[in-house]
Structures are given as structure tokens and as C-alpha cells.
Amino acid sequence: MELFQAKDHYILQQGERALWCSRRDGGLQLRPATDLLLAWNPICLGLVEGVIGKIQLHSDLPWWLILIRQKALVGKLPGDHEVCKVTKIAVLSLSEMEPQDLELELCKKHHFGINKPEKIIPSPDDSKFLLKTFTHIKSNVSAPNKKKVKESKEKEKLERRLLEELLKMFMDSESFYYSLTYDLTNSVQRQSTGERDGRPLWQKVDDRFFWNKYMIQDLTEIGTPDVDFWIIPMIQGFVQIEELVVNYTESSDDEKSSPETPPQESTCVDDIHPRFLVALISRRSRHRAGMRYKRRGVDKNGNVANYVETEQLIHVHNHTLSFVQTRGSVPVFWSQVGYRYNPRPRLDRSEKETVAYFCAHFEEQLNIYKKQVIINLVDQAGREKIIGDAYLKQVLLFNNSHLTYVSFDFHEHCRGMKFENVQTLTDAIYDIILDMKWCWVDEAGVICKQEGIFRVNCMDCLDRTNVVQAAIARVVMEQQLKKLGVMPPEQPLPVKCNRIYQIMWANNGDSISRQYAGTAALKGDFTRTGERKLAGVMKDGVNSANRYYLNRFKDAYRQAVIDLMQGIPVTEDLYSIFTKEKEHEALHKENQRSHQELISQLLQSYMKLLLPDDEKFHGGWALIDCDPSLIDATHRDVDVLLLLSNSAYYVAYYDDEVDKVNQYQRLSLENLEKIEIGPEPTLFGKPKFSCMRLHYRYKEASGYFHTLRAVMRNPEEDGKGRAVNLTKTSLVSGLKTKVLWPRERIF
């Protein structure tokens, strides 16, 4: 559709339809396309794909109109329904000021042979007020006092920061999806059992997942059939659609290739082998939406943070089979407050005060899904225990026969990267999985329905939850394919199908993690949450507490944008954040300046304590021991000091709770056999870090090693991988160093 700019309006036009948006008050009006002739000097700015809605970033600031600037086709669902992902948006200030360059695709009808759209030339009286910022704030005071200038600059800065977060939400995470013909908010089962009437798509959607409902409210309130064309319901979440081929004769070479990328050919060109379509659709609830440390637990309406419904859909020969699971924060009042890196969870209300809201949550869930099987993955010991215990107590008080509670201490069972132990859980609940069934429909109607759902949670409902949901969904998919005769009864899923399937679920975990935590999930690092608790002075980069503190500032802006998108008043004083952020940035820079000095002091201290007088100290490093066998149930990193002398190296294990080294190991350089450098071990997904493995002999026996990596320096470098660089020291001199990066793996 075409976007026009007139003096008083922005006008969207497609065919005989037109939507006029006032640049004075933001009002929306449906008008015939022929009314374009009545507009004051309309100029075509280019093409857009549709309307997302309006948003006002602050009561002191103008409204903004959000448009889909660019989309990407994700795939087609059964029935030839196209699903698209929003990749770029255009944001127009609903004011009388000149808009910034929108970089729209040009309309061939109005821009034939023109590279850039024309701009309306402002009158001389207006031009002096145009500012090259996001706000274009206009002041009619000829000599404003300092207070007004300061307020104007603060408004400009606030709007710029909030607008940056809005753009990142839509364009960096690529997590908003829509279909013009298919209801992405409702599962196959809800669609098949719902009312079949002539209502438009937007009136049939599940209110929980209609993410732009508030932003499009001005249109939905118009109430005439003509408005249906302009309303596009959107979900935030994840959609991936693939066609898989069940081929057991394929070469097993793919199994040895890098698992972070799918094979070049994901389908076969012949028709000998059965094929099926698999789709993964995750829908994030717009209720209690937000960032990890800003939204935890339950609210007064019974909504929980990070609530996501995930539907796995299989389509074979006009048969569509659907299996739904949910995830959501533990439905009690809890939080993690303070500026300590990975702060301890705490309960905010008593057991008695929580009961009513816990009941409200599960009464709604049981009303929608009939039965619930809770899979609680939080640790049964350590810092997470307080949340797990509170959850169990509330379940016992609720005492509902339609609610089943299963506890599985993920970190305890999967300690040492033993991902296969998740099968212990799926084996234990196998009968429950079969009894739950799945939704099965064909052209004639519903064959069977899913009776209940699994509600899976950990602390963040991210990595651990995604792993377990993928494992449960795989059991279901294999049963479905065997039922349909696509897979032999005693055969597992073919290697290539399994790899693509794993990647789909890993991508799903990444997307949900970015939306809730701001960073991608550690798809293969199943024994850790991705949050590194680092010792106070053992850092070779940005101080972890400072990094966490600065991220909390970013979360405040992102949380504000999410709340504004949903029409929720922003309770946090965003103006005050500017001052706090500035103060902390100054402190942060000061800490960085003294950082290396602190590390040097620590290394020098332990060099004197550990090294005998006849050994010469060559260097030391603060590192992480990432040997999977050392990872404990609390998923904390093991901090070490690596000290190097002329005849030995020392690995000193540092306990940050007591702030001292509690044990160390001395290895003679004569017993050092080789050094390997490569990616940190993962089961699937792209490794986050490079690490170094030191192989040594112990009592003349080989097979011993230390696996070390550098402490990450800042969040932007999390995914780049930092090799431990010791090549300039005598540690590697004369040794057989085998470099295995980037293709091979050392584990």
C-alpha cells in the first residue's frame, strides 16, 4: 500500500480504500481513495505493508504511527496460509514537523525513474523549528530560560531512548509475526472447536496473544466492516515452518557436520520417501509482559511473567496434528531485586496472601486447557529452593484433581552436560503423554482432541524449559508419525529430520530468550542459565555487577516500551534514570581503570603464596574452568587463577563466597603433553566461547586435562567466543599445539 504525506495528514491507500491519520491529534479516519484529491499537496513517500498501530511514548510527547516497512515470508501453513515476519518498521511522528527519512520502497507509479521521494518544502517560518532529532521539539519562546531548555533536552533524550528500544524490539529481535488469512493466536484445536461464523479474523483472535490490540484500538472502535481490512493481529513469539523427508537411506555424513546449521538440502527432490510439514508456533502473552528482572511471578489478575504457548503442528496428506504446551513463571509473588549480578530470588508475599492469585491463574488455565501437568524444573537445593517449595505448597493448597505436579531437578539430573538424562523425565511421564493425546483434524473435521497440556517452568522459563519441551514434543511427534504410517513402528526419527527438528527448537529458545532476557539462549549449555556469577576482583573485562547494573537501565527503557504498547501506565520515573545512569557510567569507567590493577594485585599475592623461591613467575590469568564434570547443581562457574612459572603451571580454584583460594594443583611443564584450542562443548547450537584444553600426565598416565576459558568481557561479545591467548608465553613453547577452531571440536 502507498503512504502519502500531506500538510495535515498521513494517508495510507490501497485500491479503493484509504486511511487518513491526522498530524495534529493522531485521529484515524476511513475515507474513499478518491478523497486523496482533497488533500493539501499529497506526496507519495513510498510503499508499506500494513499498520501496526499507534503509540505515545510519554504524556509529554506526540503520538507515533507504526507501520510495517518490510516483511519476510516465513512459510505456508496447511491451507496455503502465508505467515510473515516483521523485519523492518517505519515510525511516523504524528505532529506537524517534517519526518525523518523513512527509507521506504518507492512506488513505481509515483516515483518512476526517481531514487528518493520528494519532500514537502516547509515555509520559511516553519523551517527554523525543524530539528534533526527524533522529536523535532518546537519552541515558540524566543529567549527560553535554562530550565525550559533543560526540560526540552530531557524530553528529546527520553523519546530518543524509548524510540530506539521500540525499533530494536521490532527490527533486532524479529519476533513479531502475522498472517492475513490464518489466526496465529489460536491453536488448531481452538480453531476447529470454535464458532464458525463470518466474523473477521481480528474478532476471533485469542485476546492473550493479540499483541497490538491496544495500539490498534482506535481502528477496532470504529465498528464498521470497512475497518477490517486495516486491522492486522500480531503475535510476539516465534514461527518456523519446514518440510521434512523421512529417509533412512541418507548418508550419515550429516551427523558429523556442524550442528549449528542445517544441511544444505532440507528436503529431497524425489517422491520415494514420505514427507511431512512441521511448524513451530510460540505465542507470548501480552499480559504481564516484560523483561526478566522487571517481571517475575504472578500479578493481581493471575497472569504470570514470560507466559508462552507453544504449538507443534504436523501436516501429512490432509491430516493436521497439533500438540500444545505452555511455559510461565512460577505463579507466586517473587522477584530478584538489587543490583547484584544474578541476585537471589525472594518471596514478596506470604503463603496466605498468595493463595487467591495462584488460584486465579490455574482456574483460568484449567478453564482453557481442562487439565494441567506441571513440570517444575527448578533446583531442589540452593538458591532456587525457596521458589520451588513455595510452588509445591500452593499446589497442595489448591488441591485440584485436574492438576498434576511433577518435579525434576534439571541441574542435578543433567549435571556434567548429560543431556540424555532428560529422557529419564520423558520415560517417567510417558503414559501421561500418551493419555494426553493430541489434536487431530482432517477435511471432515475433528478426529480427536488434546486432553490437557504440560505447563513447564524453570526460573526464567528459558533454556531448561525449552530443552524439556522439545523432548516431550519429540516423543509426541514420533507417535504421530507412526500413527500416520510415515515412520516405521520401531525406528527413531531419521538423522537429518532430527537435526532440523533440533535446530527449530533451538531457534525457538533463542527467540523467546531474546524477548524476555535480551540475549540468546545457550541452546546447548544445559547445565547453566547463561548468567555468570564472577568473583569480585577476578575479572579480565567489564565488572559483572556493573554490567548487570547497566543492563538494568536498558531493561527499564524496554519495559517502559512494552508497557506503553499494552496501554499500561509506566510507574518508573524514567527521567530519574538519566541521572542514575550518568552517575553509574562515571563509576563504571573508574572501576575499569582500576580493574587490571586489582587483578594484578590478586595474581601477585597468590604468586608469592604458591610459587617456591626457585621458580620464576612468568604470568597469570583469571579464568573459568569449564570442564563439564566440575559444574555443580547450582550451575555456577568455577573460577580459577592460572599461574605460570618457568617450570610449572598452577590451577588455583577460587571461592568467591569466602574470597580466597581453597585448593590448587601444581603441574610440571614436563608433564604437559599438548594444548588444544576450540569451542566450548555444546550439544547443539552455536558455541558461545572458545576455550583451551591443557593435556597432562599424572603419575605417568595420560588422559588428564584442564579445560579453561576467559571470563566474558561484555554482553556484546558474548557470542563471539574468546580464545584463551597464551601463545606469547613459554607455556606453549616447544609443545604440540593442535588448533581445532573453527570447524572441528575438541570434545
Side-chain angles (χ1 to χ4, degrees):
M1 63 183 65
E2 298 160 312
L3 172 65
F4 292 90
Q5 175 191 348
K7 181 180 179 182
D8 298 324
H9 293 86
Y10 286 111
I11 303 168
L12 290 160
Q13 184 169 306
Q14 182 164 331
E16 299 302 315
R17 304 179 178 91
L19 177 66
W20 289 47
C21 187
S22 172
R23 297 176 65 184
R24 295 184 183 274
D25 59 14
L28 299 175
Q29 186 181 14
L30 300 179
R31 298 175 66 167
T34 53
D35 279 6
L36 184 65
L37 299 173
L38 305 177
W40 183 274
N41 189 25
I43 299 295
C44 181
L45 300 178
L47 300 175
V48 296
E49 300 291 342
V51 180
I52 297 174
K54 295 192 313 178
I55 189 171
Q56 187 179 28
L57 297 174
H58 196 277
S59 59
D60 298 336
L61 302 170
W63 285 83
W64 292 79
L65 179 66
I66 310 174
L67 305 173
I68 305 171
R69 175 157 66 99
Q70 193 175 93
K71 67 180 181 181
L73 178 65
V74 176
K76 293 184 178 181
L77 291 172
D80 212 31
H81 298 288
E82 290 188 350
V83 178
C84 297
K85 174 172 60 178
V86 178
T87 56
K88 292 182 181 179
I89 63 171
V91 184
L92 293 169
S93 177
L94 298 182
S95 66
E96 297 178 358
M97 310 316 299
E98 183 76 5
Q100 66 275 16
D101 186 6
L102 301 175
E103 299 181 353
L104 300 180
E105 180 184 347
L106 299 183
C107 169
K108 294 180 180 179
K109 182 168 65 175
H110 298 101
H111 298 285
F112 181 75
I114 302 175
N115 293 325
K116 289 286 184 180
E118 299 177 46
K119 292 186 178 181
I120 295 178
I121 300 174
S123 67
D125 292 336
D126 288 339
S127 61
K128 62 183 178 182
F129 297 117
L130 299 181
L131 301 176
K132 294 181 179 181
T133 65
F134 287 101
T135 53
H136 312 300
I137 296 172
K138 183 168 67 176
S139 173
N140 292 317
V141 182
S142 58
N145 58 41
K146 292 183 179 180
K147 183 177 180 181
K148 288 186 177 181
V149 170
K150 182 178 180 181
E151 289 176 354
S152 178
K153 288 182 177 179
E154 285 184 345
K155 287 180 183 179
E156 180 182 342
K157 183 178 179 181
L158 176 61
E159 188 173 31
R160 183 169 62 250
R161 292 297 295 269
L162 293 175
L163 191 57
E164 286 172 355
E165 286 301 322
L166 178 68
L167 293 169
K168 288 177 182 177
M169 275 193 67
F170 278 92
M171 298 184 353
D172 287 0
S173 63
E174 295 189 350
S175 58
F176 288 89
Y177 299 81
Y178 69 94
S179 173
L180 299 178
T181 59
Y182 186 86
D183 184 3
L184 287 176
T185 69
N186 274 305
S187 65
V188 169
Q189 181 158 314
R190 289 199 296 274
Q191 292 185 52
S192 62
T193 58
E195 297 180 9
R196 296 179 179 270
D197 53 35
R199 289 182 300 162
L201 182 66
W202 69 270
Q203 292 183 5
K204 300 178 183 179
V205 297
D206 190 321
D207 182 75
R208 297 174 296 167
F209 309 119
F210 188 177
W211 254 77
N212 58 328
K213 179 182 178 179
Y214 176 78
M215 292 187 288
I216 209 79
Q217 186 174 325
D218 284 4
L219 283 177
T220 60
E221 291 177 348
I222 290 177
T224 62
D226 293 341
V227 79
D228 299 339
F229 172 81
W230 300 100
I231 301 174
I232 303 175
M234 289 193 175
I235 65 167
Q236 187 190 36
F238 174 77
V239 181
Q240 186 170 344
I241 304 168
E242 298 286 347
E243 185 181 41
L244 304 185
V245 178
V246 181
N247 184 359
Y248 290 97
T249 62
E250 289 175 314
S251 170
S252 60
D253 291 343
D254 286 331
E255 191 174 13
K256 300 176 183 178
S257 63
S258 178
E260 55 264 19
T261 54
Q264 291 183 352
E265 295 184 8
S266 59
T267 60
C268 280
V269 295
D270 59 73
D271 297 322
I272 299 174
H273 306 288
R275 63 185 64 221
F276 63 97
L277 180 139
V278 58
L280 206 56
I281 305 172
S282 282
R283 314 168 175 102
R284 284 175 58 81
S285 174
R286 65 185 184 88
H287 301 304
R288 197 155 175 73
M291 304 304 292
R292 172 169 46 179
Y293 290 113
K294 295 293 184 180
R295 292 291 182 268
R296 292 288 206 188
V298 73
D299 67 11
K300 62 182 180 180
N301 297 315
N303 301 309
V304 296
N306 200 25
Y307 182 90
V308 183
E309 180 188 81
T310 300
E311 179 180 21
Q312 181 175 279
L313 189 149
I314 306 293
H315 183 73
V316 185
H317 305 310
N318 298 321
H319 289 261
T320 302
L321 298 89
S322 159
F323 185 73
V324 172
Q325 302 178 78
T326 62
R327 69 178 74 188
S329 190
V330 175
V332 300
F333 290 96
W334 67 281
S335 60
Q336 286 177 281
V337 298
Y339 295 111
R340 185 171 180 264
Y341 193 51
N342 193 13
R344 285 186 175 276
R346 72 178 191 188
L347 295 174
D348 297 325
R349 294 197 188 183
S350 68
E351 181 181 294
K352 185 177 180 180
E353 292 174 312
T354 302
V355 170
Y357 307 100
F358 182 93
C359 292
H361 173 72
F362 275 107
E363 283 170 359
E364 182 195 40
Q365 295 298 297
L366 293 174
N367 181 56
I368 297 171
Y369 301 108
K370 309 310 177 188
K371 296 179 181 179
Q372 293 261 304
V373 178
I374 297 170
I375 307 291
N376 183 17
L377 305 176
V378 303
D379 297 346
Q380 297 175 25
R383 60 195 298 151
E384 296 182 2
K385 186 177 187 297
I386 186 175
I387 305 300
D389 289 349
Y391 199 178
L392 178 57
K393 288 177 182 177
Q394 290 295 329
V395 170
L396 295 174
L397 290 170
F398 189 56
N399 193 25
N400 190 301
S401 61
H402 296 296
L403 198 64
T404 303
Y405 181 89
V406 178
S407 180
F408 183 79
D409 190 330
F410 188 97
H411 289 135
E412 179 63 28
H413 285 87
C414 300
R415 182 166 49 182
M417 301 291 290
K418 296 179 180 177
F419 169 71
E420 65 273 11
N421 289 351
V422 173
Q423 188 174 345
T424 304
L425 172 62
T426 55
D427 288 346
I429 62 174
Y430 185 75
D431 290 340
I432 299 177
I433 296 174
L434 295 184
D435 291 342
M436 191 173 288
K437 302 175 185 167
W438 51 79
C439 177
W440 185 352
V441 299
D442 63 8
E443 293 176 329
V446 180
I447 297 174
C448 73
K449 297 181 181 179
Q450 182 175 338
E451 299 176 1
I453 60 163
F454 288 101
R455 185 199 191 277
V456 187
N457 74 273
C458 50
M459 291 296 283
D460 297 328
C461 302
L462 296 176
D463 296 338
R464 288 174 278 180
T465 296
N466 201 65
V467 170
V468 169
Q469 285 194 335
I472 293 172
R474 175 175 170 166
V475 172
V476 172
M477 184 175 72
E478 290 183 346
Q479 290 297 318
Q480 291 171 334
L481 295 176
K482 290 173 183 177
K483 244 348 175 188
L484 293 169
V486 177
M487 274 178 59
E490 302 302 324
Q491 286 277 11
L493 200 64
V495 171
K496 185 178 285 188
C497 288
N498 182 55
R499 290 186 61 244
I500 297 174
Y501 176 79
Q502 281 186 315
I503 291 166
M504 290 178 70
W505 272 95
N507 292 341
N508 178 66
D510 259 0
S511 186
I512 294 173
S513 182
R514 286 192 184 97
Q515 294 156 26
Y516 187 50
T519 58
L522 297 180
K523 298 186 288 291
D525 192 1
F526 298 117
T527 57
R528 284 168 285 190
T529 66
E531 298 169 344
R532 283 2 185 216
K533 180 172 179 289
L534 308 176
V537 289
M538 279 187 56
K539 309 165 190 73
D540 65 348
V542 178
N543 178 279
S544 63
N546 286 343
R547 180 171 63 245
Y548 170 70
Y549 191 49
L550 291 171
N551 283 343
R552 291 293 289 266
F553 286 125
K554 295 178 183 178
D555 283 354
Y557 298 121
R558 177 64 62 91
Q559 185 64 56
V561 170
I562 293 172
D563 288 343
L564 291 167
M565 288 173 68
Q566 305 307 325
I568 300 171
V570 177
T571 57
E572 191 161 4
D573 183 2
L574 296 177
Y575 284 120
S576 69
I577 294 179
F578 296 150
T579 303
K580 293 179 182 177
E581 191 173 18
K582 188 175 181 180
E583 291 174 354
H584 190 77
E585 283 176 352
L587 177 63
H588 175 64
K589 291 177 181 178
E590 179 64 29
N591 286 344
Q592 281 187 307
R593 283 194 293 267
S594 61
H595 192 65
Q596 291 300 326
E597 183 180 345
L598 292 172
I599 293 175
S600 177
Q601 291 175 359
L602 183 70
L603 293 170
Q604 288 290 333
S605 297
Y606 281 101
M607 177 268 291
K608 295 176 181 177
L609 288 172
L610 300 179
L611 270 65
D613 294 337
D614 59 346
E615 289 187 21
K616 183 179 179 181
F617 179 64
H618 283 307
W621 300 264
L623 303 172
I624 296 293
D625 192 322
C626 51
D627 186 343
S629 65
L630 293 177
I631 303 302
D632 62 15
T634 61
H635 57 273
R636 289 172 49 200
D637 285 327
V638 180
D639 299 313
V640 298
L641 295 176
L642 178 64
L643 305 176
L644 177 65
S645 75
N646 60 323
S647 58
Y649 73 90
Y650 296 75
V651 179
Y653 294 87
Y654 185 89
D655 188 343
D656 62 336
E657 296 291 343
V658 295
D659 197 29
K660 68 178 182 180
V661 168
N662 54 20
Q663 58 178 313
Y664 74 94
Q665 188 176 6
R666 181 187 184 276
L667 284 308
S668 171
L669 292 181
E670 294 179 354
N671 291 323
L672 188 60
E673 295 179 312
K674 63 178 178 179
I675 300 173
E676 293 177 325
I677 298 174
E680 188 178 21
T682 61
L683 292 174
F684 58 88
K686 188 176 180 180
K688 285 183 70 70
F689 303 103
S690 291
C691 57
M692 173 182 66
R693 178 168 282 180
L694 307 175
H695 291 262
Y696 64 91
R697 294 187 304 274
Y698 179 69
K699 294 183 178 179
E700 302 304 320
S702 298
Y704 296 90
F705 55 82
H706 290 109
T707 307
L708 308 172
R709 69 163 173 80
V711 180
M712 61 186 181
R713 293 181 178 269
N714 60 55
E716 285 71 26
E717 295 175 352
D718 282 0
K720 298 178 182 178
R722 285 190 163 271
V724 181
N725 183 15
L726 300 177
T727 56
K728 294 182 180 179
T729 73
S730 59
L731 182 61
V732 296
S733 178
L735 297 175
K736 296 177 288 183
T737 304
K738 184 181 181 183
V739 179
L740 300 177
W741 177 267
R743 283 294 177 190
E744 298 179 67
R745 289 172 177 260
I746 60 179
F747 315 116

